[in-house]
Amino acid sequence: NAGVTQTPKFRVLKTGQSMTLLCAQDMNHEYMYWYRQDPGMGLRLIHYSVGEGTTAKGEVPDGYNVSRLKKQNFLLGLESAAPSQTSVYFCASSRGTAGNTIYFGEGSWLTVV
Amino acid sequence: AQRVTQPEKLLSVFKGAPVELKCNYSYSGSPELFWYVQYSRQRLQLLLRHISRESIKGFTADLNKGETSFHLKKPFAQEEDSAMYYCALRGYGGSQGNLIFGKGTKLSVKP
């Protein structure tokens, strides 16, 4: 019973490098989210998707791109990493909106040097 | 504007003492309120949601619409309760369905 799985769990990048974080869920959920967690800031929404083939910007989308080509996967891309993107990234998914629980992945620790 | 405020960054209590983690919210419509818990370097787990009105691990939370609060309480803290606690809000009828989080309160229960 995997739930929400994120890869990789840890990564160190040099400034300017690119990378993709993969989120996979096996619960057939329509809604998927990417958050970043920073000390003293809580969790902030980067991008989200309300279904396969759809994506939308959240609170802090700059510097990130996303894709939802398959319902079960939600990819978060950093085209040119910056030290300000050093953070813990959490993916989450939900069957729907009101009344539906949002489930989180284990997090991906990203350091940009 | 939608906002969740957790006024305490850190709350430190002794084992067996009562605990109250404060959460206030700002939302123009009818919100869903949640408490999530995050143990060290683990994923966020749903602890409570206001619509279920249940007690999990001895924790309870009551939605007070007049005071726009959703404080988390436990009468006798245990060392294993030490964790980061996040209050979160989601609006009914919204198309996004995402959660808006407070900045979190770190609970430390000392032996």
Side-chain angles (χ1 to χ4, degrees):
Chain A
N1 191 6
V4 181
T5 305
Q6 295 179 226
T7 52
K9 287 190 169 46
F10 302 95
R11 183 75 187 269
V12 178
L13 281 179
K14 293 183 179 179
T15 298
Q17 284 185 318
S18 63
M19 75 159 295
T20 301
L21 296 174
L22 169 64
C23 176
Q25 51 93 5
D26 61 2
M27 297 175 281
N28 200 36
H29 284 172
E30 291 291 338
Y31 291 70
M32 296 188 75
Y33 310 91
W34 275 108
Y35 287 88
R36 60 177 288 173
Q37 182 185 40
D38 301 291
M41 299 295 292
L43 280 83
R44 293 178 292 170
L45 183 67
I46 305 171
H47 286 279
Y48 66 99
S49 169
V50 300
E52 181 179 315
T54 73
T55 63
K57 294 180 180 180
E59 181 185 354
V60 288
D62 293 343
Y64 305 94
N65 56 75
V66 287
S67 64
R68 184 98 182 268
L69 298 179
K70 293 182 178 180
K71 186 177 183 179
Q72 64 267 34
N73 295 336
F74 194 30
L75 280 65
L76 178 71
L78 286 73
E79 289 185 347
S80 179
S84 61
Q85 294 176 304
T86 294
S87 188
V88 184
Y89 292 86
F90 284 96
C91 178
S93 73
S94 174
R95 182 182 303 173
T97 55
N100 289 280
T101 300
I102 294 182
Y103 296 90
F104 284 83
E106 292 183 318
S108 296
W109 275 256
L110 176 64
T111 301
V112 183
V113 297
Chain B
Q2 303 174 18
R3 186 164 53 244
V4 177
T5 302
Q6 294 180 250
E8 304 134 331
K9 285 186 178 179
L10 174 65
L11 186 62
S12 185
V13 301
F14 286 102
K15 177 182 174 181
V19 170
E20 182 178 50
L21 287 81
K22 290 183 169 43
C23 173
N24 289 90
Y25 67 90
S26 173
Y27 187 71
S28 58
S30 183
E32 278 186 288
L33 273 297
F34 304 84
W35 276 100
Y36 276 82
V37 59
Q38 184 183 30
Y39 300 101
S40 181
R41 297 177 74 83
Q42 294 185 23
R43 73 180 75 204
L44 277 79
Q45 303 172 39
L46 178 64
L47 182 62
L48 286 174
R49 57 196 310 167
H50 88 270
I51 57 173
S52 60
R53 300 185 63 83
E54 57 190 340
S55 174
I56 303 293
K57 298 184 179 181
F59 285 97
T60 59
D62 289 317
L63 178 61
N64 185 322
K65 292 186 178 180
E67 296 182 357
T68 60
S69 68
F70 190 55
H71 303 327
L72 183 67
K73 300 177 183 179
K74 185 170 183 176
F76 308 103
Q78 303 299 316
E79 289 181 67
E80 55 265 29
D81 296 329
S82 295
M84 196 75 180
Y85 291 80
Y86 289 98
C87 183
L89 172 155
R90 179 168 63 188
Y92 278 107
S95 60
Q96 299 171 246
N98 63 290
L99 292 168
I100 297 166
F101 286 89
K103 294 184 178 181
T105 298
K106 184 175 182 179
L107 175 64
S108 175
V109 182
K110 299 177 181 178

